[in-house]
Amino acid sequence: MRCSLLIAAALPLAQGVRIVQSNDDGWAEVNIRTFFNSLNAAGHQVVLSGPAENQSGTGSSDSAPKTVDSDGCEFSSCPGGSPATGANTTDPRLNYVNSYPVTAIKTGISTTAPKLWNGAAPELALTGPNVGSNVAVQVPFSGTVGAAVYAAKTAKIPAIAFSGSSGDPTAWNQPTPLYSQIYADLALNVTSTIIKSGKPYLPDNTWLNVNFPPVSSTKCNNVNQFKFIFTRINSGLIGSAADITVCGTTARLPWEADVAVIRGGDCYVSISPGDANDKTTAAAAQQQIIYNKLKPILSCLP
């Protein structure tokens, strides 16, 4: 079942889709901007709607946007006293919302994107890549996850949350770090695979939690070194229903924390099917549908 990352990436897209982007690290952070550029280069219609400031750890909080404080948006990306919502002066697809990640993506879905798309709605919601992993007990508190879950549960838009363990918050106008470009390329591969699988991209009330391992100059520094592993969000040791059979075993799906963090040096990427109702692992029926969609890029653990 192992498949080169290049296979999915090399296949041409039938057509670009309408994508709304957000995160919890802020609209001007380099990871989301690098991914934005990759999605546009792949032919998609993308609207970014992210928090004006770093809102890491705010989960599913939601509050009306407020006028920007006197110190301005993060990385001086907007001046102090700017309106509660605003756009890049040269690119209206890049938007900030001075509130939480959920508020930011909600604004993008309901207001900003339809205005730019002549009333059309987003077809897919993508959040991140987050600066830092979001696995296991971190998941409920992540704003990057919270935004994706809002899209999947409330807005009924298929959603994927991406997170990467390398890096620190970095401005969009700094040189693009190696990890940022690799994470964008890997995220595009997952996105392309889901799109090529056809609509509906994901079952109702589900989302994907994707975590990338560390990138360094000597290890996991080329996209072809990475393997995608189908995993679960919570360990499933107590009180969970059975998972699907993967890689010939009927045991639990691998735990994402083990795959992407503990085994991070092995260049494994965890992809976990999530239940949007409680941010835990999706049930077996939904797992199977999602597994079949991702199968072209999935590998087995040794």
Side-chain angles (χ1 to χ4, degrees):
M1 185 176 60
R2 179 177 174 183
C3 181
S4 169
L5 293 177
L6 292 180
I7 293 178
L11 295 174
L13 288 171
Q15 64 181 33
V17 304
R18 296 185 300 276
I19 296 172
V20 63
Q21 259 193 301
S22 196
N23 67 353
D24 71 7
D25 296 305
W27 77 307
E29 211 284 323
V30 71
N31 278 359
I32 195 170
R33 294 295 184 92
T34 305
F35 191 24
F36 174 88
N37 292 336
S38 295
L39 290 166
N40 276 285
H44 299 296
Q45 301 176 62
V46 190
V47 171
L48 188 158
S49 182
E53 301 279 4
N54 188 325
Q55 293 285 347
S56 296
T58 53
S60 292
S61 298
D62 183 14
S63 180
K66 298 179 180 180
T67 300
V68 176
D69 292 340
S70 59
D71 59 352
C73 296
E74 65 175 357
F75 308 123
S76 301
S77 55
C78 80
S82 292
T85 62
N88 182 284
T89 55
T90 60
D91 191 342
R93 300 172 301 170
L94 300 173
N95 296 267
Y96 73 80
V97 177
N98 191 32
S99 186
Y100 299 112
V102 164
T103 314
I105 200 167
K106 180 167 68 172
T107 303
I109 291 170
S110 63
T111 305
T112 312
K115 283 183 179 178
L116 294 173
W117 295 333
N118 296 317
E123 298 171 275
L124 189 62
L126 305 175
T127 62
N130 187 71
V131 179
S133 298
N134 280 310
V135 299
V137 296
Q138 298 168 315
V139 169
F141 308 102
S142 165
T144 293
V145 168
V149 168
Y150 170 85
K153 181 180 179 180
T154 305
K156 304 302 180 185
I157 298 171
I160 309 174
F162 296 100
S163 302
S165 60
S166 286
D168 296 299
T170 302
W172 87 102
N173 56 0
Q174 296 300 305
T176 303
L178 174 64
Y179 68 81
S180 188
Q181 188 60 62
I182 286 179
Y183 291 163
D185 291 342
L186 294 170
L188 179 62
N189 198 351
V190 175
T191 302
S192 299
T193 302
I194 288 295
I195 292 171
K196 289 166 191 167
S197 73
K199 291 183 177 180
Y201 296 136
L202 293 172
D204 288 345
N205 289 317
T206 65
W207 57 286
L208 297 183
N209 193 41
V210 181
N211 278 273
F212 305 124
V215 170
S216 73
S217 59
T218 59
K219 187 74 172 179
C220 304
N221 56 11
N222 184 297
V223 292
N224 293 308
Q225 297 171 340
F226 292 80
K227 302 182 185 73
F228 294 112
I229 308 297
F230 200 62
T231 54
R232 59 181 295 119
I233 295 171
N234 46 313
S235 64
L237 296 178
I238 300 174
S240 296
D243 293 330
I244 61 172
T245 298
V246 171
C247 297
T249 178
T250 57
R252 293 288 185 197
L253 291 173
W255 185 29
E256 62 183 14
D258 177 45
V259 169
V261 178
I262 298 173
R263 303 194 196 194
D266 294 323
C267 308
Y268 293 133
V269 177
S270 66
I271 307 182
S272 299
D275 186 330
N277 293 308
D278 58 11
K279 301 182 184 179
T280 61
T281 307
Q286 286 72 42
Q287 291 176 19
Q288 190 66 64
I289 295 170
I290 296 169
Y291 176 81
N292 291 342
K293 286 175 169 288
L294 291 168
K295 192 172 182 179
I297 61 169
L298 293 176
S299 294
C300 296
L301 291 174

